Amino acid sequence: MQGLFEPLETETREGAQLAPVVLAVALDQTYDYIVPAGLEVEPGCFVLVPFGPQSRIGVVWDKSVGEPGKPVDPKKLKVITARLDAPPLPEISLRFAEWIAKYTLAPLGMTVRMLMSARAVFEPQKPRFGVTIVGGAAEPPRMTPARQRALEIAADGAIRAKAALAAASSCSTGVVDGLVASGNLVEVAIPEKRPPVPDPCHRVTEFSPEQDAAVHALRSAVDGANFSVSLLDGVTGSGKTEVYFEAVARTLERGHQALIMLPEIALTDQFMRRFEARFGAPPVEWHSALSGPERGRVWKQTATGEARVVVGARSALFLPFSDLGLIIVDEEHDAGYKQDDRVHYQARDMAVVRGSLGAFPVILASATPAIETHVNARTGRYRHVVLPGRFSGASLPDVTPIDLRVTPPDKGKWLAPPLVDAITKTMADGQQSLLFLNRRGYAPLTLCRSCGHRIDCPQCTAWLVEHRFRGKLHCHHCGFSIPLPEKCPKCAEPGSLVACGPGVERVAEEVAERFPGARVALLSSDLIPGLTEMRDMIRNIEAGGIDIVIGTQMVAKGHHFPNLATVGIVDGDLGLAQGADPRAGERTFQLLHQVTGRAGRALTEGRGYVQTHMPEHPVMQAIISGDREAFLEAEIANRRKGLLPPYGRLVALVVAARDKETAQLVARDIAHRAPRSEKIEVLGPAEAPLAVIRGRHRWRLLVKAPREIDVQAYLRAWLADLPPLKGDIKLTVDIDPYSF
Ligand code: ADP
Ligand code: ZN
């Protein structure tokens, strides 16, 4: 592929080839490098290049991108140091990176960085060595019982790590070394493990007529072998997973790879077991809990095509699949798909983009689709595949409001009498209850009864949350923490501090008092040391080893607890109290619906209870009546009227600085420089919803534009003319912000 690059006409470097390279840093263009004689490079391959005083990893691009500026003095051109030993990126990955950079306004180098998320692919692979038996060798000169045992085990001819052979034969590795020295064992490289291959025909699932129709619709989307988006819209327990597995099976039959995206991949042991039951082999996992070498291995296996089905978090989108033919975005409404770090992107939407670039179908699945997705399904842009009822025939749980104004809990308690009665009855029936409160820790606020001081974070606009089990006060935004103080830090009055409001730890305390015989599990991310403990806990709940589960939102996602009969929402109003964010209603509806939907998924009849001060609120009404449509109508009408997404486009610009005045002044100045436009509104600056995080004051501008406007072009023109930001001032651009 050498001819692809323009030859360089100079005296000094006559005939040298140039290659455009995107460096994995915050720059938005390619740089030309000289390809040294004898080095073969091709678009998509990784190279090491000198950049300033440093050496950087970059990707050879297939064209020049960005401002070339004035022609570079050929004498200053630098030479590619080396080509890295990793599979080159497929062309589609280059186009995907360009698309995201253009859409999110992130520098191309930053989106390219996401494509090489597994640094370990560049590290030279050290082959692991093991030992195997040498056939026909003479008996070792000195035979001991330990040597005898080791040789007997090795007799099967397998390749084992020395330590593994030693352990299996209960001897030291010294014994194994001795057998190598005597020529009875030989050291050989252990071959790389290949991922097991899922078999689309491993198990045949019997479907209900409704499920069957959905399976047909999704299969025909796969057979269409073209870009399409389907919304698989079905209540909790309707069998969405079983149904989309058939689309995966069809994709495998057609010889393509499939990607299943899940929001909480680390917690999905249950999902993996179901996958294995259907396909006879586990999928390849991709998430942040993988070690560096594991990431490197998975990255390569997607490039070679050895990985047939990957189940992953949002970053799995950027793996270099050689032949991807389907993406499923499960729980597509989940806020976890929005990345708000470095490159701000919505992974659900980028999955759709990836499908369109690769000309294959995308399936979005949810029991509570995002408003944007609903509108797309209604207008026919997405196919709407509906699963109306639960597979088991069970109905959705009846949800009863508990009006806290009428039946409040006792003083200092958080569970109202009707909820306590419901749990008591559930326990008497030998079934499980779940209490949900989306708040970690013991109490969200610590107050001084004497001077009224509220203990807050010195670096954020947030109270410190008491974590009693750990004896600490914590900031949930920056991680700041102090030991629980014995007296008020302000007035020093001893014994005057009181914990206000409940967190899950406090609910657990009340449950222990009220139900002393109950077996209780408290699921909160900060109380569970690791994945293994989490898995064991979930399995114990599944198996019926727990009577009362208490948890934060980590219990809301995807779990299937067959014995769970009663769900109690401790504070239904929590999400609605959060400011003026128009998404608060949608988010609260989704969360409450998902949590109450955990009840009665098998044949037990489920009941839900929501403690609330405002049972007449439209979100509560929708949850109680189970009438999603009326709620959606109202929400969609609001969005349309306010020209909010998906009827209009929103962009958030946030200016952050250590000094409050500076942040505000800079934000105002940026607002003043906005190009005039009749159709585009620039709102603010106003203090961002979390005004201070980690000691940085944040002011926000919201740009509101009609759908048909190229808002990126408008922003590019605007931002290009800004004076450079000085000192610690930072500007972030968030296209399609999650909160608005
Ligand atoms: P959803 O993803 O819509 O919440 P699931 O796919 O988790 O629903 O299905 C709920 C339960 O019903 C699971 O235990 C699943 O195994 C079972 N189920 C769904 N459809 C079938 C089917 N056709 N045959 C057997 N079991 C099914
Ligand atoms: Zn803080």
Side-chain angles (χ1 to χ4, degrees):
M1 277 238 175
Q2 294 244 331
L4 192 80
F5 309 113
E6 302 241 317
L8 182 70
E9 308 284 347
T10 68
E11 286 178 355
T12 43
R13 291 182 162 160
E14 200 174 341
Q17 307 276 323
L18 286 188
V21 174
V22 177
L23 300 161
V25 294
L27 291 166
D28 201 27
Q29 64 169 100
T30 50
Y31 291 88
D32 285 341
Y33 281 89
I34 293 172
V35 184
L39 186 75
E40 291 262 337
V41 294
E42 56 187 305
C45 78
F46 292 92
V47 287
L48 202 61
V49 293
F51 188 70
Q54 280 157 323
S55 187
R56 297 242 179 227
I57 295 178
V59 175
V60 174
W61 223 247
D62 50 5
K63 58 179 188 236
S64 293
V65 178
E67 297 279 307
K70 50 183 183 304
V72 186
D73 175 359
K75 291 195 195 95
K76 290 201 175 143
L77 281 171
K78 294 188 174 158
V79 183
I80 294 175
T81 315
R83 176 177 173 160
L84 296 169
D85 182 21
L89 293 168
E91 195 203 330
I92 211 162
S93 291
L94 310 191
R95 300 290 87 80
F96 193 39
E98 285 173 355
W99 204 101
I100 295 180
K102 218 169 155 208
Y103 187 83
T104 62
L105 298 185
L108 181 58
M110 294 309 280
T111 58
V112 163
R113 219 180 139 106
M114 299 197 294
L115 295 174
M116 35 186 261
S117 49
R119 292 253 151 191
V121 288
F122 307 122
E123 276 148 32
Q125 291 276 311
K126 276 178 258 143
R128 293 203 306 130
F129 283 95
V131 288
T132 190
I133 196 145
V134 177
E139 234 190 42
R142 202 170 51 81
M143 189 58 116
T144 62
R147 288 185 163 195
Q148 184 82 46
R149 283 198 305 274
L151 284 177
E152 274 166 21
I153 296 209
D156 62 2
I159 302 174
R160 292 182 178 81
K162 279 184 185 172
L165 179 57
S169 31
S170 355
C171 65
S172 68
T173 48
V175 173
V176 178
D177 283 332
L179 288 168
V180 173
S182 66
N184 292 82
L185 295 176
V186 64
E187 283 193 76
V188 291
I190 301 178
E192 273 281 322
K193 246 200 303 181
R194 292 178 166 241
V197 179
D199 172 7
C201 306
H202 178 73
R203 186 194 72 198
V204 178
T205 313
E206 298 275 339
F207 287 108
S208 70
E210 284 105 358
Q211 289 181 330
D212 215 36
V215 168
H216 265 91
L218 297 186
R219 272 218 203 113
S220 72
V222 174
D223 285 334
N226 215 330
F227 172 59
S228 66
V229 186
S230 305
L231 166 61
L232 179 57
D233 176 5
V235 298
T236 50
S238 56
K240 293 185 292 299
T241 315
E242 302 294 335
V243 166
Y244 73 61
F245 276 170
E246 297 313 303
V248 172
R250 195 77 193 111
T251 305
L252 292 175
E253 278 168 6
R254 297 178 62 94
H256 304 300
Q257 295 164 293
L259 166 63
I260 304 174
M261 290 169 48
L262 300 176
E264 291 272 348
I265 179 76
L267 310 177
T268 45
D269 171 47
Q270 224 170 20
F271 178 92
M272 301 300 165
R273 280 181 277 143
R274 280 175 69 182
F275 185 96
E276 192 163 352
R278 169 64 184 81
F279 294 98
V284 172
E285 291 180 49
W286 176 263
H287 51 77
S288 55
L290 295 183
S291 69
E294 282 171 321
R295 289 169 84 79
R297 174 148 33 83
V298 173
W299 195 95
K300 281 188 184 157
Q301 287 169 347
T302 57
T304 58
E306 281 170 293
R308 303 312 298 161
V309 182
V310 174
V311 172
R314 60 181 182 225
S315 58
L317 265 181
F318 303 103
L319 289 169
F321 291 97
S322 57
D323 183 19
L324 190 57
L326 174 71
I327 301 180
I328 289 166
V329 185
D330 202 353
E331 311 286 0
E332 65 87 36
H333 63 278
D334 197 280
Y337 284 122
K338 182 65 166 52
Q339 164 153 315
D340 279 322
D341 182 29
R342 294 208 194 110
V343 180
H344 295 246
Y345 69 91
Q346 163 53 270
R348 176 228 303 141
D349 298 344
M350 293 310 117
V352 170
V353 171
R354 182 68 180 78
S356 116
L357 290 174
F360 60 73
V362 177
I363 298 171
L364 312 179
S366 176
T368 53
I371 298 286
E372 285 85 341
T373 308
H374 266 297
V375 173
N376 282 327
R378 286 186 181 193
T379 55
R381 199 170 321 172
Y382 294 174
R383 304 175 188 198
H384 200 175
V385 181
V386 181
L387 287 171
R390 284 192 154 175
F391 169 73
S392 58
S395 47
L396 280 177
D398 275 331
V399 181
T400 312
I402 297 177
D403 189 337
L404 294 175
R405 297 165 307 186
V406 180
T407 50
D410 300 337
K411 197 164 174 329
K413 296 276 184 280
W414 312 99
L415 306 178
L419 185 51
V420 174
D421 293 346
I423 300 171
T424 309
K425 180 166 180 312
T426 306
M427 277 189 55
D429 293 344
Q431 293 174 326
Q432 273 171 346
S433 304
L434 166 71
L435 289 172
F436 172 78
L437 178 62
N438 204 10
R439 218 190 243 146
R440 292 183 283 136
Y442 184 83
L445 167 66
T446 306
L447 178 85
C448 173
R449 236 182 334 217
S450 168
C451 74
H453 178 61
R454 298 159 172 223
I455 304 185
D456 58 0
C457 175
Q459 328 189 67
C460 304
T461 326
W463 295 330
L464 292 182
V465 177
E466 177 178 348
H467 287 248
R468 189 162 288 190
F469 294 177
R470 292 216 210 118
K472 290 209 156 119
L473 294 179
H474 262 286
C475 172
H476 286 180
H477 300 284
C478 71
F480 175 87
S481 106
I482 49 171
L484 271 181
E486 280 168 16
K487 51 190 182 199
C488 173
K490 189 135 181 241
C491 70
E493 179 78 21
S496 70
L497 292 176
V498 278
C500 299
V504 278
E505 291 180 8
R506 201 166 197 180
V507 173
E509 185 183 77
E510 181 174 344
V511 164
E513 270 170 44
R514 287 189 188 273
F515 307 100
R519 296 165 300 170
V520 178
L522 176 50
L523 269 70
S524 176
S525 55
D526 52 339
L527 294 175
I528 299 171
L531 286 185
T532 333
E533 287 80 3
M534 178 71 193
R535 274 170 200 191
D536 292 348
M537 214 146 164
I538 298 277
R539 286 188 184 182
N540 192 17
I541 299 170
E542 274 181 276
I546 295 291
D547 302 310
I548 304 176
V549 184
I550 301 162
T552 57
Q553 60 169 347
M554 78 192 297
V555 299
K557 289 179 191 166
H559 302 298
H560 183 71
F561 300 135
N563 269 318
L564 185 63
T566 301
V567 169
I569 311 274
V570 176
D571 184 353
D573 309 335
L574 191 57
L576 295 173
Q578 280 161 8
D581 181 357
R583 215 189 277 280
E586 175 191 352
R587 195 165 38 216
T588 305
F589 174 79
Q590 287 163 343
L591 191 57
L592 297 189
H593 188 86
Q594 294 279 352
V595 179
T596 51
R598 297 299 119 204
R601 285 171 52 105
L603 283 171
T604 54
E605 209 153 277
R607 290 170 300 273
Y609 297 86
V610 184
Q611 300 197 140
T612 173
H613 285 96
M614 38 186 180
E616 65 294 329
H617 191 287
V619 169
M620 293 306 154
Q621 284 300 315
I623 291 293
I624 294 157
S625 65
D627 182 1
R628 183 180 87 170
E629 297 311 311
F631 171 73
L632 282 175
E633 282 309 327
E635 282 287 298
I636 290 176
N638 268 339
R639 297 276 185 104
R640 188 185 285 125
K641 205 170 73 207
L643 275 186
L644 292 168
Y647 296 99
R649 300 184 165 281
L650 281 182
V651 182
L653 303 184
V654 175
V655 176
R658 295 236 161 246
D659 180 57
K660 183 174 173 181
E661 246 83 287
T662 308
Q664 187 181 9
L665 283 176
V666 172
R668 273 206 199 133
D669 180 55
I670 292 177
H672 280 150
R673 291 168 188 269
R676 273 178 205 293
S677 158
E678 290 204 342
K679 298 210 162 147
I680 297 181
E681 261 185 286
V682 177
L683 310 169
E687 284 197 310
L690 258 160
V692 190
I693 301 182
R694 294 172 196 273
R696 292 177 161 274
H697 292 261
R698 302 159 69 245
W699 286 78
R700 187 174 75 164
L701 298 170
L702 271 182
V703 179
K704 214 166 136 187
R707 262 196 82 82
E708 66 280 4
I709 292 260
D710 182 351
V711 72
Q712 281 85 0
Y714 174 84
L715 284 161
R716 237 176 258 120
W718 179 5
L719 301 179
D721 276 348
L722 293 184
L725 298 172
K726 283 189 226 106
D728 70 339
I729 306 167
K730 262 182 89 174
L731 170 67
T732 51
V733 179
D734 185 4
I735 310 267
D736 307 332
Y738 180 71
S739 293
F740 41 83

